[in-house]
Amino acid sequence: MSVLLSLKGLTLYYRTRRGVVKAVDGVSFDLKEGSCLSLVGESGCGKSSMAYAIMRLLPRNTHTYCGELIFDGKNLMDLTENDLRRDFWLKKMAMVFQGAMNSLNPVLNIGEQLAEPFTIHLGLDKLEALKRAAELLELVRLPNSLLDKYPHELSGGMKQRVVIATALSLRPKFLILDEPTSALDVITQANIINLLKRLQEELNLTYIFITHDLGLSSELSDYIAVMYAGKVVELGDIVSILTAPKHPYTQKLLAATPKLLEDAKLEFIPGSPPDLAYPPPGCRFHPRCPYVMDVCKVREPEPVKVSSEHYVSCLLWERV
Amino acid sequence: MGDFVSSAPVGLKSVAYEVSHSKSGLAGIIILASILLISMVAVFSPENIIEKWNDPQAWLDKPRLAAPEWVTIFTGQNSLKTVIIKQEDFRKDVQKVAGLNTTKIELRARITYNYDTIPTEVNLNLEIISETRSLLTVRWVRPDGSSVLLLREAVEAGQKSVFTYRDRTVFENVQAYLQKLAAPSTLSVGEVLFSSEDSLLKGTAKLLKSSDVKPSRPYELVVEGVSESKFFDVNAQLNLLGSVYGLCGTDNMRRDIFVGIVWGAPIALAFGLVAALVVTLVQAVFGAISGFYGSRVDEIIQRVTDIYLVLPFLSLLITIQFIYKTTIWTLLIAVIALSLFGGVTKSVRSMALQIREEPYIEAAKSYGASRPRILFLYILPRLLPYTFANITVSVPAYVFLEASLSILGLGDPALPTWGKIISEAFSGGAAYYGYWWWILIPSIFIVLVSTAFALLWYSLDKVLNPRLREE
Amino acid sequence: MFVGFSKKYFAKRISLLAITLIVATYLTVVIANGGGLVDQILASQIRFDVSSTLSRDPSFNRLPEEEREKMLEQRINLAIQAKGLDKPFIVRSFIYLVDALTLRLGQALVIKSNTGSRAVVDIIMERLPATVALFTTATIIYSVLGILVGLVMARKPGGLFDRFMTMLAVVTGVIPPWFFAIIFLLLFAFYIRLFPFGGFVSVPSPTDPLLYALDVMYHMVLPLITWIIASFPFWAYITRNIVIQTIGEDFVTMAKAKGLSEGMVLRKYVLRPSMPPIITNVALALIASWQGAIITEVVFGWPGIGNLLNLAILSTDAPVVIGAAVVYAYLLVATVLILDIIYGVLDPRVKVG
Ligand SMILES: Nc1ncnc2c1ncn2[C@@H]1O[C@H](COP(=O)(O)OP(=O)(O)OP(=O)(O)O)[C@@H](O)[C@H]1O
Ligand SMILES: [Mg+2]
């Protein structure tokens, strides 16, 4: 399998009143075509920002955006926004936003919003586009009576599916899903996960699946990347990560994940994640790390390969 | 109709800090402090300006429609500022004519006149104390030695004002003088008085300054009274009124606009502040009750608010003022009564709805705190910053409301308010004839106050809605 | 784009507005009768009605002068009783409320309409077009301008233009248009002599209809400019705030990620969903604007209702003052109703509400 997406030192900083927020700070990894990567981490560690950075959908207060971002053999950094609009967004890469509840325009009906990609990118006429929109609804198992409904008339799960359907409209090969299920009840959640699995098989999609639910990510993904304070601290295939986590943060994260029907006492990680405007020097996890060494406070760890597809950024492992 | 843009609750301390540390907030505070200082002058002054303001007699020693004195800096002209020769500045000469039981009094005023313009008015106020009628002669002596007889008549005892430019007798005497010189009779009294006799002989009027003769000599006004009364006295005051006066100029009733500005300041501030404060607080309390109590109370308050929002506020006020002609303070009550509910009710309600859901309110409830207690001790304090912001934006609105009513002739009947000055300026044709100071000076003050409050609001809003002020 | 009306929403709004109208009119009646003015107006109306019916009766006209007087008085008394004017005020106030709401506003004391009628309705209706023309033209221009400028401001929040316009909005937001009017008259009419000092047409007015129209427009320019300058910054500011909030919504980013052009995102995903809250927020401003119109008209001598109101105050013509107040209540309610309808069309959520 070839590499579809390759990041090198991808960086995204925001300008705010408090200072520069380093939401994504030099992230590097490769993603193979047809695989699924889960991106996990505490709230505010920069997962969504990473998704925006990969999509090159930058907020207005972007301060720094740099690094290498090779997608399908092209460095997206070299392209203009017009190139992206014409050839990439929705056609090759699409994203389902974290706030699916708010991802639909409240004053346009579903049909119009679903048909838009067809009229704009494929130049179909209105009727034809609506027909395709109906097919999309079918793909995500929704009745096509929704076409002339407005977003406020839909349930959360329905909206989530409509958003996924929109993302799939032009059959992209790459999809980022930002917590597509966190606002839903378990049954709807399971439905959506099944839908995603089915779509992956049917359409041979490559996913990045953002969640803070490690259980969910194990359902879907081949790889897991653990993010902490704007950096990927550990990345590996799902089995290695779940059975042999190397980074102290990953270990804590796993220990803090509730497991159904098990009575194990939940641990929680003492302290709170750092302010990304003023991250601690050295390893960003050091203030909360149980194994902290003096060197952790001054040196930033580099990714270390611990097995064929498993990397960790921790000075404990660098020394070994 | 939907929700209003609302702002998140913020602590009072941080608000005070941010406002006093932002440029706009500081500017607002400085402007307001200066205006407050001006108001203090009016508030603590012992003078009864309000009575004086409406008494035309009190302003006779001021020129009509004079521009502010500082315009001379721009025109480069040495325009006449008001010159007043008081009673004690006249040289008095009393002669008893022996045997005839007659007293003759001569008063002589000297005016060194080196201005570039002639006075707009020359007014003489006389006080004659006598048992009988007396003979009065008034003569005008120019620096070149020539003289003009202004008055010679028998007068009753008492006060007498001679507006030389408009007085019939003076006019006739001046005409006789012109005829004697064979000068054109179209010249005005002022031109005749202040021109050299030479130039009049040539048929033109050329201003004669004291310094035009060598050595420099003043103009003189000579008043002579003759009476047979046992006691006899004459006193005089001479007012030479210019085309410029004071800091702010005068209006068409000779009133010093500066006085109006100073005394109008506390009225504007008091009216604006009281109205804004009471209206905002009342609306906020209703809004908080509406949001916090919910259900029927909420429904009723919201519907009443909807009605209030569409009430023709101004035309109702106009009707009230038209029929009852109330003072500004009664008007204030009417304003408040017509604004018990409004925009603030709506936005405070939506904020109260949010606050109601917060854990510490739940906690307070579980301690058994009563609902009014929670409302006043927990919810309302959280809304104070927003309330302050709203008070600051609404003060200018009420200052202008008073002005609006004044324009319609429905202002306070007695008080000198800024709005009334502007409206009198407008109806006095100030825009039409270009008496700019009469309009602009009170306008600048009203805008200054408004801007100060707007600046304060701006700095407050920055704290309350940081999201809207990114970058 | 058309969404279909929600009967419930409109029933609710219309009944509310009807109540508002009744409350406003009733307040006017109660306030006015403090000076016994309402009774006076009622009496004048009855006298007029009775005498005009009688004068159409030929047998009445044949009677001698004295008889006629007597008969007239008799009929008037009868009519007063028939109408219930001998009843206590609480009853009379409702009689007059109904009269006022049906625009039976009595006879003016001093003012006459151009056609010579003394009926307050005629006098007011004659002035209404001028008011509505000026107001709607100004409102349309400044709202469009305001929205456009607001969009530009929202492009770079905190930028120089944004901060300047925000300051301007804050300051003009508290200064009523008539205030600018006076200053502009001094500036443009007195000093620059670019525009007339006010009025509707020149005197004497041009006879050619085209020239007449041009002359009216020429007189309208300064009032319009004044009104626009006084009002558009506030609309721009409101638009800016709402647009900034909308731009932050996920559906806007999503629209961008769908590959829509920037213009399309702006139109369909930013401006369209911003319209309903913009309308909600400017409703209050529009109501204030209507009331400010009274004084702006006075300053420009624009022959609308505001000017009529001023004239009525100067000549203490109470029926006209009260009539104008009632008509203003109608105008405000009509404005809000129009806004409600636009809101209903623009916001699909109203459909179920
Ligand atoms: N547009 C922005 N401007 C400024 N700061 C931002 C912006 N978006 C995100 N941030 C900040 O960047 C950091 C990372 O945010 P991000 O949304 O990427 O986190 P996340 O991992 O997706 O969190 P969550 O799990 O809650 O969605 C946070 O501290 C957040 O406050
Ligand atoms: Mg996120």
Side-chain angles (χ1 to χ4, degrees):
Chain A
M1 274 193 287
S2 61
V3 171
L4 180 69
L5 176 73
S6 164
L7 317 180
K8 279 206 184 65
L10 188 64
T11 300
L12 175 59
Y13 294 168
Y14 301 125
R15 192 172 44 228
T16 68
R17 278 161 70 85
R18 286 181 306 122
V20 175
V21 171
K22 303 186 174 79
V24 180
D25 204 4
V27 170
S28 311
F29 63 79
D30 291 344
L31 187 61
K32 283 185 198 144
E33 193 154 1
S35 61
C36 173
L37 171 82
S38 275
L39 193 56
V40 300
E42 276 169 291
S43 184
C45 68
K47 303 184 296 293
S48 300
S49 305
M50 174 113 102
Y52 292 129
I54 293 172
M55 292 292 293
R56 251 196 83 173
L57 282 168
L58 306 177
R60 299 207 293 175
N61 58 336
T62 299
H63 176 271
T64 310
Y65 177 60
C66 62
E68 207 169 87
L69 173 59
I70 296 177
F71 176 82
D72 206 18
K74 284 219 175 60
N75 190 349
L76 297 190
M77 290 284 178
D78 299 338
L79 302 179
T80 64
E81 194 157 280
N82 260 333
D83 295 333
L84 288 164
R85 199 174 284 139
R86 204 181 52 234
D87 298 328
F88 286 84
W89 287 336
L90 216 57
K91 282 191 172 162
K92 290 188 175 162
M93 57 198 312
M95 176 168 172
V96 172
F97 293 91
Q98 184 165 9
M101 300 301 145
N102 303 319
S103 291
L104 295 172
N105 186 339
V107 298
L108 299 182
N109 64 26
I110 306 296
E112 177 154 9
Q113 298 190 56
L114 266 180
E116 223 164 26
F118 302 115
T119 51
I120 287 176
H121 290 287
L122 306 183
L124 300 186
D125 64 37
K126 199 125 194 191
L127 220 66
E128 199 66 19
L130 273 175
K131 218 182 275 168
R132 299 287 290 270
E135 286 169 26
L136 274 179
L137 284 179
E138 214 165 296
L139 183 69
V140 293
R141 306 263 154 88
L142 286 174
N144 55 18
S145 62
L146 288 192
L147 283 179
D148 44 40
K149 289 250 161 47
Y150 285 88
H152 69 272
E153 297 168 281
L154 271 59
S155 74
M158 283 167 149
K159 277 191 233 178
Q160 186 63 268
R161 281 161 191 251
V162 170
V163 173
I164 293 174
T166 315
L168 293 172
S169 54
L170 300 182
R171 300 291 142 96
K173 48 176 127 183
F174 174 65
L175 189 60
I176 301 181
L177 294 140
D178 192 351
E179 303 193 23
T181 59
S182 55
L184 305 174
D185 63 89
V186 257
I187 302 207
T188 325
Q189 203 170 346
N191 273 333
I192 300 243
I193 296 295
N194 287 335
L195 174 74
L196 291 174
K197 273 187 182 164
R198 185 171 58 88
L199 292 171
Q200 187 178 23
E201 280 159 26
E202 279 175 25
L203 309 171
N204 187 30
L205 284 167
T206 309
Y207 281 127
I208 288 184
F209 186 79
I210 298 175
T211 176
H212 24 222
D213 186 339
L214 276 166
L216 261 184
S217 63
S218 60
E219 279 277 309
L220 262 172
S221 38
D222 311 309
Y223 303 97
I224 290 184
V226 180
M227 250 190 121
Y228 184 78
K231 292 193 175 272
V232 169
V233 293
E234 186 164 11
L235 185 148
D237 62 279
I238 183 140
V239 183
S240 328
I241 297 278
L242 292 183
T243 56
K246 296 289 187 281
H247 198 283
Y249 177 64
T250 316
Q251 293 165 0
K252 289 274 171 194
L253 205 62
L254 281 171
T257 306
K259 293 173 193 69
L260 218 54
L261 301 178
E262 257 176 54
D263 238 358
K265 197 166 153 254
L266 279 190
E267 282 186 40
F268 59 93
I269 311 175
S272 53
D275 179 356
L276 289 186
Y278 303 98
C283 172
R284 293 191 177 173
F285 188 58
H286 85 252
R288 298 166 82 186
C289 182
Y291 314 114
V292 61
M293 304 171 293
D294 284 342
V295 63
C296 299
K297 296 174 187 165
V298 287
R299 226 185 80 203
E300 277 199 48
E302 295 291 324
V304 182
K305 190 167 182 168
V306 287
S307 68
S308 70
E309 286 191 312
H310 189 168
Y311 299 82
V312 64
S313 301
C314 177
L315 293 172
L316 283 170
W317 295 90
E318 240 173 81
R319 287 194 315 167
V320 175
Chain B
M1 218 195 237
D3 286 326
F4 287 75
V5 177
S6 67
S7 45
V10 190
L12 256 189
K13 250 191 215 146
S14 72
V15 170
Y17 179 86
E18 287 277 342
V19 169
S20 54
H21 283 75
S22 76
K23 262 183 269 168
S24 51
L26 211 59
I29 291 172
I30 290 172
I31 298 175
L32 276 184
S34 332
I35 302 225
L36 218 64
L37 218 67
I38 296 177
S39 309
M40 287 301 129
V41 175
V43 172
F44 292 111
S45 155
E47 245 185 304
N48 185 355
I49 286 296
I50 288 153
E51 211 163 90
K52 188 180 168 196
W53 186 255
N54 296 300
D55 174 15
Q57 296 304 315
W59 301 95
L60 286 179
D61 56 350
K62 308 268 186 287
R64 256 184 103 236
L65 294 169
E69 278 176 11
W70 44 261
V71 295
T72 54
I73 300 171
F74 302 105
T75 57
Q77 258 190 349
N78 183 14
S79 301
L80 170 65
K81 296 165 187 142
T82 303
V83 173
I84 294 184
I85 313 282
K86 295 209 203 76
Q87 173 178 330
E88 54 269 25
D89 298 332
F90 276 80
R91 222 181 58 208
K92 199 179 228 172
D93 213 13
V94 186
Q95 286 176 9
K96 292 260 182 217
V97 180
L100 271 174
N101 195 20
T102 306
T103 317
K104 180 174 154 195
I105 296 178
E106 190 192 74
L107 295 170
R108 201 174 268 268
R110 301 167 142 255
I111 309 119
T112 306
Y113 201 90
N114 283 319
Y115 303 100
D116 294 335
T117 54
I118 61 169
T120 50
E121 287 177 52
V122 176
N123 300 333
L124 181 64
N125 297 324
L126 293 165
E127 184 191 32
I128 299 149
I129 301 162
S130 166
E131 277 180 312
T132 58
R133 285 157 68 100
S134 48
L135 181 70
L136 189 76
T137 315
V138 179
R139 265 181 315 125
W140 181 250
V141 185
R142 303 196 186 90
D144 61 6
S146 59
S147 78
V148 185
L149 177 74
L150 298 181
L151 277 181
R152 165 166 291 150
E153 59 185 7
V155 293
E156 301 286 347
Q159 303 275 349
K160 183 178 170 65
S161 289
V162 185
F163 298 95
T164 54
Y165 285 16
R166 282 179 283 144
D167 194 275
R168 269 227 73 78
T169 328
V170 173
F171 180 75
E172 278 159 14
N173 287 333
V174 167
Q175 286 294 317
Y177 168 76
L178 286 173
Q179 219 156 27
K180 205 174 72 195
L181 294 187
S185 62
T186 50
L187 293 173
S188 73
V189 174
E191 283 170 320
V192 173
L193 294 188
F194 287 89
S195 301
S196 63
E197 203 165 61
D198 283 350
S199 69
L200 291 176
L201 280 168
K202 289 190 200 111
T204 56
K206 186 178 168 293
L207 175 68
L208 179 71
K209 295 183 188 178
S210 296
S211 58
D212 287 345
V213 295
K214 299 282 176 278
S216 164
R217 280 180 51 187
Y219 279 90
E220 280 187 335
L221 179 87
V222 185
V223 179
E224 210 179 78
V226 179
S227 168
E228 296 183 347
S229 163
K230 268 201 236 78
F231 51 90
F232 177 54
D233 197 8
V234 181
N235 287 314
Q237 176 176 328
L238 177 66
N239 300 337
L240 301 187
L241 306 181
S243 53
V244 292
Y245 181 85
L247 263 181
C248 305
T250 59
D251 68 6
N252 62 349
M253 289 171 72
R254 303 165 184 278
R255 294 183 293 206
D256 184 354
I257 292 171
F258 179 73
V259 170
I261 296 288
V262 172
W263 264 261
I267 300 170
L269 284 183
F271 185 83
L273 272 173
V274 172
L277 200 79
V278 176
V279 166
T280 307
L281 286 181
V282 170
Q283 290 193 3
V285 169
F286 278 123
I289 291 174
S290 181
F292 178 57
Y293 281 76
S295 69
R296 284 209 68 73
V297 179
D298 182 31
E299 182 65 22
I300 291 169
I301 293 181
Q302 287 316 300
R303 291 299 81 77
V304 173
T305 308
D306 283 339
I307 292 174
Y308 259 81
L309 283 173
V310 192
L311 275 190
F313 174 76
L314 190 63
S315 44
L316 283 175
L317 269 189
I318 288 173
T319 317
I320 293 176
Q321 274 303 82
F322 173 70
I323 289 167
Y324 304 101
K325 308 220 164 31
T326 65
T327 67
I328 194 170
W329 309 118
T330 327
L331 179 72
L332 185 62
I333 294 171
V335 166
I336 292 169
L338 287 174
S339 320
L340 294 177
F341 303 84
V344 179
T345 320
K346 292 252 164 188
S347 24
V348 162
R349 170 183 178 265
S350 62
M351 282 182 247
L353 280 177
Q354 282 169 28
I355 297 175
R356 188 171 73 165
E357 302 304 325
E358 286 177 20
Y360 76 105
I361 300 288
E362 291 296 326
K365 266 190 206 158
S366 67
Y367 298 147
S370 70
R371 293 220 283 188
R373 191 181 160 83
I374 295 177
L375 184 66
F376 281 96
L377 287 183
Y378 295 83
I379 295 188
L380 281 175
R382 291 278 304 275
L383 297 167
L384 274 184
Y386 165 79
T387 315
F388 275 163
N390 197 77
I391 290 170
T392 55
V393 262
S394 33
V395 173
Y398 291 110
V399 175
F400 274 109
L401 176 68
E402 187 276 323
S404 302
L405 288 169
S406 294
I407 291 273
L408 295 172
L410 297 173
D412 187 281
L415 296 179
T417 66
W418 293 347
K420 221 164 99 179
I421 298 175
I422 297 174
S423 91
E424 282 165 353
F426 182 71
S427 53
Y432 197 81
Y433 297 108
Y435 309 134
W436 53 267
W437 61 92
W438 195 7
I439 294 185
L440 289 186
I441 291 176
S443 298
I444 285 170
F445 275 87
I446 221 168
V447 169
L448 216 56
V449 166
S450 306
T451 311
F453 280 104
L455 285 167
L456 272 185
W457 173 82
Y458 182 76
S459 62
L460 275 170
D461 192 57
K462 236 188 327 208
V463 194
L464 295 175
N465 289 314
R467 212 162 87 80
L468 294 177
R469 295 265 185 278
E470 53 191 280
E471 280 171 61
Chain C
M1 210 60 103
F2 189 78
V3 166
F5 295 114
S6 150
K7 284 204 188 82
K8 208 173 142 198
Y9 167 78
F10 281 101
K12 204 168 139 192
R13 290 300 302 175
I14 286 174
S15 54
L16 196 84
L17 289 175
I19 294 172
T20 309
L21 188 63
I22 293 169
V23 170
T25 313
Y26 192 68
L27 273 179
T28 311
V29 169
V30 171
I31 291 168
N33 210 56
L37 286 171
V38 169
D39 294 333
Q40 196 181 317
I41 294 168
L42 276 177
S44 75
Q45 178 73 52
I46 287 174
R47 176 171 288 274
F48 179 79
D49 288 349
V50 170
S51 58
S52 51
T53 18
L54 279 181
S55 64
R56 260 182 268 118
D57 180 356
S59 63
F60 173 76
N61 285 328
R62 262 180 263 117
L63 292 174
E65 170 80 38
E66 226 166 87
E67 290 276 305
R68 269 192 286 177
E69 263 321 294
K70 225 164 86 193
M71 188 157 170
L72 185 65
E73 287 305 317
Q74 212 175 3
R75 289 285 186 93
I76 287 173
N77 280 337
L78 276 176
I80 283 178
Q81 271 163 26
K83 215 159 176 206
L85 291 193
D86 45 354
K87 303 247 168 61
F89 174 65
I90 190 84
V91 180
R92 277 180 289 141
S93 69
F94 284 104
I95 296 173
Y96 191 69
L97 173 65
V98 174
D99 270 13
L101 285 173
T102 50
L103 293 182
R104 293 164 50 80
L105 300 168
Q107 300 290 306
L109 305 178
V110 188
I111 300 170
K112 263 192 210 159
S113 80
N114 288 340
T115 56
S117 162
R118 278 220 184 278
V120 173
V121 202
D122 294 345
I123 296 171
I124 289 177
M125 286 308 152
E126 202 174 80
R127 304 289 193 114
L128 192 60
T131 292
V132 173
L134 183 59
F135 184 83
T136 38
T137 318
T139 306
I140 289 169
I141 297 177
Y142 75 65
S143 57
V144 171
L145 186 67
I147 288 171
L148 291 180
V149 172
L151 284 174
V152 177
M153 286 165 80
R155 265 192 127 86
K156 268 191 95 182
L160 203 65
F161 181 72
D162 177 48
R163 274 192 314 204
F164 172 76
M165 282 307 299
T166 302
M167 244 7 266
L168 193 67
V170 172
V171 174
T172 56
V174 297
I175 299 177
W178 62 260
F179 186 82
F180 289 95
I182 292 184
I183 310 281
F184 284 3
L185 273 181
L186 187 68
L187 194 67
F188 292 112
F190 180 77
Y191 283 108
I192 306 182
R193 304 204 175 272
L194 199 59
F195 294 111
F197 274 98
F200 187 70
V201 291
S202 307
V203 182
S205 58
T207 41
D208 182 80
L210 182 70
L211 288 180
Y212 186 92
L214 281 177
D215 193 50
V216 170
M217 276 199 252
Y218 173 58
H219 280 76
M220 212 165 148
V221 174
L222 197 54
L224 278 181
I225 290 180
T226 305
W227 215 332
I228 291 165
I229 289 184
S231 312
F232 94 88
F234 183 73
W235 281 61
Y237 181 67
I238 293 282
T239 307
R240 164 206 185 269
N241 284 354
I242 289 166
V243 164
I244 287 177
Q245 272 171 359
T246 311
I247 286 179
E249 299 278 358
D250 287 321
F251 61 79
V252 177
T253 323
M254 165 120 167
K256 193 176 165 190
K258 275 159 93 174
L260 303 190
S261 69
E262 249 179 90
M264 198 139 169
V265 173
L266 200 65
R267 265 197 324 276
K268 271 172 94 172
Y269 286 82
V270 177
L271 203 49
R272 260 292 269 117
S274 296
M275 279 326 284
I278 289 177
I279 289 174
T280 310
N281 274 276
V282 296
L284 290 184
L286 262 189
I287 290 173
S289 184
W290 257 126
Q291 321 213 20
I294 299 176
I295 297 150
T296 312
E297 279 184 11
V298 172
V299 172
F300 282 114
W302 186 258
I305 302 180
N307 214 352
L308 175 68
L309 188 60
N310 187 45
L311 190 67
I313 291 169
L314 290 179
S315 48
T316 52
D317 197 330
V320 179
V321 173
I322 295 162
V326 172
V327 170
Y328 265 107
Y330 263 102
L331 285 175
L332 291 194
V333 165
T335 309
V336 174
L337 186 64
I338 291 171
L339 283 181
D340 278 348
I341 292 172
I342 298 176
Y343 189 91
V345 173
L346 287 179
D347 193 340
R349 277 162 289 200
V350 163
K351 203 169 146 194
V352 281

